[in-house]
């Protein structure tokens, strides 16, 4: 029993250290730049998409850090994400589920744009992303927002240009057991789990594109036979 308690403490200490210094986000950003460059794109994107996703919270999430999203009937937290046009994660923030998208988006944009070397100039959003605070944040960074709307008369599920990309990313994240439901006592811990989920998926994607032995590396196969 003493061994298991010590092991848990060691794991948490590493998690807390990586959270404090944003190591997981930095790791993901390096992988993201590599993935974009492999496809012939600039390391930093000039366009992106913003959206949000509400998730139910487990009993470990206190009442003071959860809310109810009436539109999605979710009692928990909401993660707000910014992706590039391929769906690669650029930024994420976590709030209570009752926070409106337009209220969380300025901080999301500010957190991303405060890093040096950002080239973002265009964002595709839905009609929820409006208001003076958000317009001010867009103007401050020279970012133009383009609202993607449904056509008149459309009902039910509809694939919308550009917006389907970020919705696919949110779907990918939901496949991770640790983030398909919020189990974290702290919102910043849930944010770190989102970065972890994105990192695992992207690293697997990059590894799948790498040469494998021996099928994709015949030189190794010849050496082995010799």
């Amino acid at each position: 029993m003493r061994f298991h308690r010590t092991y848990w403490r060691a794991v948490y200490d590493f998690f807390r250290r990586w959270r404090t210094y944003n190591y997981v986000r930095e790791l993901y950003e390096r992988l993201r730049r590599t993935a974009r460059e492999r496809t012939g794109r600039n390391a930093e994107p000039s366009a992106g998409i913003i959206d949000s996703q509400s998730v139910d919270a487990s009993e470990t999430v206190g009442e003071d850090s959860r809310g109810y999203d009436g539109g999605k009937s979710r009692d928990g937290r909401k993660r707000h994400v910014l992706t590039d046009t391929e769906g690669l994660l650029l930024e994420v923030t976590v709030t209570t589920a009752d926070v409106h998208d337009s209220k969380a988006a300025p901080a999301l944009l500010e957190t991303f744009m405060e890093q040096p070397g950002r080239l973002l100039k265009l964002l595709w959003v839905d009609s929820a992303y409006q208001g003076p605070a958000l317009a001010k944040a867009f103007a401050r960074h020279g970012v133009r927002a383009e609202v993607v709307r449904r056509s008149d008369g459309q009902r039910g599920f509809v694939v919308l240009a550009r917006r389907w990309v970020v919705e696919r990313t949110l779907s990918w994240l939901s496949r991770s057991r640790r983030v398909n439901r919020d189990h974290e006592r702290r919102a910043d811990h849930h944010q770190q789990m989102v970065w972890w989920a994105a990192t695992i998926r992207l690293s697997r994607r990059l590894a799948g594109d790498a040469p494998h032995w021996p099928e994709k590396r015949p030189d190794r196969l010849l050496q082995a036979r010799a």
Side-chain angles (χ1 to χ4, degrees):
M1 181 64 69
R2 182 179 302 172
F3 171 79
H4 288 294
R5 187 179 298 116
T6 303
Y7 181 77
W8 173 87
R9 176 55 61 183
V11 171
Y12 179 73
D13 285 345
F14 271 104
F15 174 82
R16 182 174 58 184
R17 191 179 311 160
W18 281 51
R19 179 207 69 210
T20 302
Y21 295 102
N22 272 328
Y23 286 156
V24 186
R25 175 184 172 180
E26 180 180 347
L27 172 60
Y28 183 85
E29 286 207 327
R30 294 188 182 192
L31 294 174
R32 171 177 60 78
R33 294 187 186 105
T34 298
R36 288 181 57 85
E37 289 173 345
R38 282 188 180 183
T39 59
R41 294 170 174 260
N42 290 331
E44 287 294 329
S46 59
I49 313 103
I50 291 180
D51 205 352
S52 67
Q53 181 182 49
S54 296
V55 292
D56 288 323
S58 66
E59 64 278 1
T60 56
V61 179
E63 293 295 331
D64 59 337
S65 65
R66 65 195 295 165
Y68 184 75
D69 181 351
K72 299 298 176 66
S73 298
R74 298 287 187 181
D75 178 18
R77 292 193 179 120
K78 183 184 289 187
R79 42 186 179 244
H80 310 263
V81 301
L82 167 64
T83 73
D84 68 4
T85 54
E86 292 185 350
L88 298 178
L89 191 63
L90 300 178
E91 194 58 68
V92 56
T93 60
V94 177
T95 67
T96 57
D98 56 345
V99 173
H100 194 268
D101 294 348
S102 63
K103 302 296 184 183
L108 179 71
L109 181 63
E110 293 287 352
T111 302
F112 178 73
M113 295 298 291
E114 70 182 6
Q115 302 297 320
R118 302 307 194 195
L119 303 176
L120 197 63
K121 295 298 180 183
L122 172 63
L123 281 175
W124 285 282
V125 300
D126 64 26
S127 57
Y129 291 91
Q130 300 182 52
L134 187 54
K136 184 178 180 180
F138 285 150
R140 181 161 52 251
H141 296 288
V143 176
R144 179 171 61 88
E146 184 174 315
V147 178
V148 180
R149 304 179 186 274
R150 288 170 173 254
S151 299
D152 294 339
Q154 286 184 326
R155 295 183 178 181
F157 175 76
V158 179
V159 177
L160 298 176
R162 300 297 181 179
R163 278 177 51 190
W164 71 267
V165 175
V166 67
E167 290 170 355
R168 181 186 60 180
T169 299
L170 292 171
S171 177
W172 284 342
L173 292 174
S174 296
R175 295 180 184 179
S176 175
R177 180 186 62 83
R178 195 60 183 255
V179 297
N180 66 358
R181 182 179 173 88
D182 195 345
H183 302 276
E184 312 305 323
R185 295 182 184 277
R186 295 173 45 163
D188 59 338
H189 284 189
H190 183 81
Q191 182 183 24
Q192 290 300 304
M193 289 302 175
V194 173
W195 283 117
W196 272 114
T199 299
I200 292 170
R201 180 169 184 85
L202 183 53
S203 62
R204 288 175 177 172
R205 168 182 160 181
L206 291 172
D209 294 339
H212 288 73
W213 183 87
E215 294 83 1
K216 295 185 179 180
R217 301 186 66 174
D219 56 321
R220 288 288 188 89
L221 182 59
L222 292 175
Q223 293 176 10
R225 289 177 176 175

